[in-house]
Amino acid sequence: MDDWFEMDPGRRTPPAIDKAVLERLFAMGDSSLRRALCAQLRADFQRLHQAVLGPDGAAVGRAAHELKGLAATVGAGRLTDLAQALDARAENLGAAARAAIVTPVLHEIEAVLACLDSAAGEPPAA
Amino acid sequence: MTKPLTSDTILLIEDTPSLQMIYKAALNRAGFTVETCGTAAEGTAAFQRLKTSIVLLDLMLPDRAGLDVMQDLLVAEPRTCVIVITANGSINKAVEMMRAGAHEFLVKPFDDQRLIAAVENARKALRHRPQPLHAPRGEAPARQVLPPFIGHSEPMQAVYEKIRSVARSMATVFVTGESGTGKELCAEAVHQASARASGPFVALNCGAIPVDLLESEVFGHLRGSFTGAISDKLGAAAAADGGTLFLDEICEMDLNLQTKLLRFLQTSTITPVGATRPRKVNVRIICATNRDPAEEVRRGRFREDLYYRLHVVPIHLPPLRDRGDDVNEIADALISQMGREENHDFQGLSPRVRELFRALPWPGNVRQLINVLRNVVVLNDGPHVTPEMLPPDLLAIRAAPAPAAGERSGLSLGDLAGRTLAQIERIVIEDALARHGDSVPKAARELDVSASTLYRKREAWAKADEG
């Protein structure tokens, strides 16, 4: 089960979340922390998924900033980079230009959510 | 995992629920009790209720900027250790936070060990942190720091006390001190400790703005009032309505504009350029200069009536060389943070550098110290700053102290005899520039005037030479 973060092993895409980072977070508590944290992370990423779709550039920037910090903490490196790019530019871009940056962010959030679903069902590391 | 030094509750103010959960789990596992809050309002209320001595504070909160929250907490309880958490890892932000009184600055992501280490460091610092000024009767009050300043020296204690006292009043404050001693920081500290803290703080450097534009910058202008006035402009005085207006390098202000400033102080009204009707504004004035204002009055360069109007509460900031071990305290506060930002592992200063820092004259004061530290961190790896890492020109200052007046270069009093005062001024300035490789800032520092003064004088001489 080493590849439970691998979305498509055949294409050798890097994982959306670094398993080691997430396991280290889970290891700070018992099994209830794993369940609770997965559920909370899921809720937060879904909330931010909605937030970056908003019409207000400044609000999207704030959401991207929050997303950057959260993604970095759970080891979602690709999402961290995408969120950082959005954080830096959201406020100064028009809706169309912003959408071009937001779209890959949305896709990556979905990949992260899928990883979290796998992680939630995974037995704790020995 | 090490046990905490005490069992005080730690206040965590972080708006992302997952991160709250992660940080809390890490701290709980290390034996700390944690109270979590998701907004500035909840956090401030919890702080008042729990009286926590350590606060983990996210900088970007939904209802208020974390910086403002931190300043409120530190005003309420200056001994609080605030550990700032942010996803913005710029060095400017870190320096801004440390100057504003943060104990430590954590950039996301950080692991549980880093978090626990920051909290443990805060606990250790609290053990050594001085008690509040309200010491038991008969005991001398312990030395304290007034954020955003750093330094426990005796001269700064007097400054902190004066800032606290004057902040409670509306009195005009006149800040003096050499370049780089923190005059704007002092003005901000007065503003932040005053009842106007929630209002704007507007700073204007009178020496950096051309004379022709200064009136418009201070009082604003109406569209079409002069060539280039393509729209209405709100001046600094109006922008500071309800707050504080800080006029830096006030002695650079043109005499005509000094008259208008005096009228503004007497009537609390402003008349923008091109306007016919004055407007009432409610502004507290703080001004500063690196010159001797009384001497400027004697020389006729500063209006005496304005001087007395402004010089209600003077605060003199001591030069860094007179602040004892503050130089090392400031360096300690900044070096490890700068190291983290530059990915260079710096933990502190070597004993030799500490000794050297105490002995240096620091003509550029704290600003020079910050630049030296940045230079060291960017160009070297730690863990300790050694003399070899210091910029050579810094060591040269020590090796060759500034010559006394009359010993400078080839100039002698005989060379100046028979010349006008204006000619002598030009000779002296050009001599200083020549000795500093045409560096205006260095020459200005030596002559104890602002760089903008020298730029203006050079421009005037060039025009006169052409004419």
Side-chain angles (χ1 to χ4, degrees):
Chain A
M1 291 294 286
D2 280 347
D3 58 351
W4 52 263
F5 287 166
E6 193 73 50
M7 295 307 299
D8 184 356
R11 288 175 59 197
R12 294 180 179 276
T13 28
I17 294 183
D18 182 339
K19 179 180 177 180
V21 174
L22 202 51
E23 280 300 338
R24 184 168 177 168
L25 297 178
F26 294 149
M28 291 190 300
D30 56 19
S31 59
S32 66
L33 177 68
R34 170 184 284 266
R35 280 195 301 276
L37 187 52
C38 278
Q40 189 59 62
L41 284 168
R42 181 159 241 297
D44 284 343
F45 279 117
Q46 283 176 331
R47 171 174 57 82
L48 293 167
H49 186 281
Q50 286 303 307
V52 296
L53 284 169
D56 174 15
V60 170
R62 285 193 296 275
H65 186 82
E66 185 180 352
L67 184 60
K68 178 176 75 172
L70 181 59
T73 302
V74 299
R78 207 162 46 229
L79 181 56
T80 305
D81 294 341
L82 291 167
Q84 180 159 356
L86 183 58
D87 179 20
R89 300 180 63 194
E91 206 166 345
N92 300 319
L93 290 178
R98 199 167 60 238
I101 307 179
V102 166
T103 303
V105 173
L106 298 176
H107 289 152
E108 194 59 26
I109 291 177
E110 284 155 16
V112 166
L113 286 170
C115 287
L116 286 172
D117 287 344
S118 299
E122 183 75 0
Chain B
M1 188 67 69
T2 53
K3 284 285 169 197
L5 298 173
T6 72
S7 59
D8 283 352
T9 298
I10 291 163
L11 178 58
L12 168 61
I13 310 175
E14 162 65 63
D15 63 323
T16 306
S18 302
L19 296 181
Q20 266 190 15
M21 194 180 280
I22 290 166
Y23 302 153
K24 186 177 181 184
L27 291 165
N28 285 160
R29 193 166 72 141
F32 295 106
T33 306
V34 182
E35 175 85 7
T36 56
C37 299
T39 64
E42 287 172 17
T44 306
F47 179 77
Q48 287 164 352
R49 179 167 41 87
L50 297 167
K51 309 281 183 212
T52 51
S53 51
I54 297 177
V55 179
L56 287 156
L57 175 66
D58 186 21
L59 267 193
M60 195 175 272
L61 296 167
D63 54 340
R64 205 166 166 224
L67 175 60
D68 295 341
V69 176
M70 178 172 77
Q71 285 171 338
D72 278 0
L73 302 185
L74 291 173
V75 167
E77 179 43 77
R79 295 179 72 246
T80 310
C81 278
V82 180
I83 300 167
V84 168
I85 303 171
T86 179
N88 177 357
S90 77
I91 191 155
N92 286 341
K93 181 61 76 178
V95 172
E96 184 188 352
M97 288 301 115
M98 299 305 281
R99 290 177 86 180
H103 179 76
E104 200 155 341
F105 187 79
L106 295 178
V107 180
K108 296 172 185 175
F110 47 85
D111 62 19
D112 54 336
Q113 288 181 350
R114 179 79 190 87
L115 175 65
I116 302 303
V119 172
E120 293 285 14
N121 287 340
R123 296 223 160 212
K124 285 175 191 161
L126 282 167
R127 279 178 167 179
H128 299 105
R129 198 160 273 201
Q131 294 301 308
L133 284 178
H134 314 292
R137 219 181 311 177
E139 287 181 25
R143 289 185 176 185
Q144 207 177 28
V145 169
L146 178 73
F149 285 101
I150 301 170
H152 289 82
S153 68
E154 194 71 55
M156 289 308 288
Q157 295 299 312
V159 170
Y160 302 153
E161 197 53 50
K162 209 160 189 179
I163 290 172
R164 287 193 188 94
S165 301
V166 75
R168 289 192 287 267
S169 81
M170 257 293 282
T172 303
V173 180
F174 205 130
V175 188
T176 56
E178 292 178 11
S179 180
T181 47
K183 293 187 284 296
E184 183 164 348
L185 215 58
C186 176
E188 282 188 60
V190 172
H191 173 73
Q192 288 301 336
S194 74
R196 298 174 162 260
S198 58
F201 175 84
V202 178
L204 192 70
N205 186 331
C206 304
I209 298 166
V211 175
D212 299 345
L213 294 179
L214 191 54
E215 181 178 0
S216 159
E217 289 293 325
V218 177
F219 298 117
H221 64 244
L222 298 186
R223 181 183 175 189
S225 54
F226 55 87
T227 308
I230 55 172
S231 61
D232 290 356
K233 177 183 171 65
L234 192 68
D241 197 6
T244 303
L245 174 61
F246 173 56
L247 296 172
D248 199 3
E249 297 195 36
I250 186 83
C251 289
E252 306 302 315
M253 190 177 270
D254 172 72
L255 278 167
N256 287 333
L257 193 53
Q258 288 179 24
T259 309
K260 293 181 180 176
L261 180 62
L262 179 64
R263 193 176 310 128
F264 164 50
L265 292 171
Q266 288 166 334
T267 63
S268 295
T269 60
I270 54 165
T271 307
V273 179
T276 51
R277 290 204 317 209
R279 173 190 160 183
K280 196 93 178 162
V281 290
N282 174 13
V283 171
R284 184 204 198 139
I285 302 284
I286 301 178
C287 55
T289 181
N290 57 9
R291 299 192 192 189
D292 175 0
E295 179 61 23
E296 294 301 299
V297 171
R298 275 193 292 277
R299 292 184 176 207
R301 293 195 292 236
F302 201 77
R303 287 184 63 120
E304 188 172 11
D305 45 7
L306 179 60
Y307 169 74
Y308 287 118
R309 191 91 198 181
L310 291 172
H311 207 262
V312 180
V313 180
I315 298 179
H316 181 71
L317 294 176
L320 188 55
R321 61 184 168 277
D322 291 345
R323 291 176 55 182
D325 204 44
D326 282 0
V327 61
N328 288 320
E329 206 176 322
I330 296 167
D332 282 337
L334 296 178
I335 193 75
S336 54
Q337 189 59 53
M338 287 181 174
R340 275 197 294 279
E341 296 303 324
E342 298 291 342
N343 284 323
H344 290 182
D345 178 31
F346 275 97
Q347 293 166 12
L349 313 178
S350 73
R352 282 174 61 208
V353 168
R354 287 182 178 282
E355 194 183 326
L356 185 61
F357 274 12
R358 283 289 297 263
L360 284 169
W362 297 108
N365 293 292
V366 181
R367 189 178 296 132
Q368 183 188 10
L369 173 64
I370 291 171
N371 290 343
V372 165
L373 293 174
R374 184 167 292 136
N375 176 295
V376 166
V377 169
V378 168
L379 298 179
N380 299 278
D381 276 317
H384 292 100
V385 180
T386 60
E388 295 72 31
M389 296 178 185
L390 298 174
D393 58 343
L394 183 74
L395 301 174
I397 291 174
R398 192 192 188 199
E407 294 175 1
R408 299 180 176 204
S409 68
L411 272 182
S412 70
L413 280 176
D415 297 331
L416 306 176
R419 295 179 189 269
T420 65
L421 189 59
Q423 287 170 331
I424 293 170
E425 181 186 63
R426 181 169 179 174
I427 290 168
V428 171
I429 290 173
E430 288 182 339
D431 177 63
L433 286 164
R435 279 184 292 99
H436 289 289
D438 211 36
S439 165
V440 171
K442 284 182 181 171
R445 196 172 298 145
E446 178 187 297
L447 297 170
D448 197 19
V449 296
S450 69
S452 58
T453 300
L454 296 194
Y455 285 119
R456 277 205 296 270
K457 286 191 182 296
R458 288 180 108 186
E459 192 181 349
W461 294 331
K463 278 183 187 167
D465 290 346
E466 283 169 15

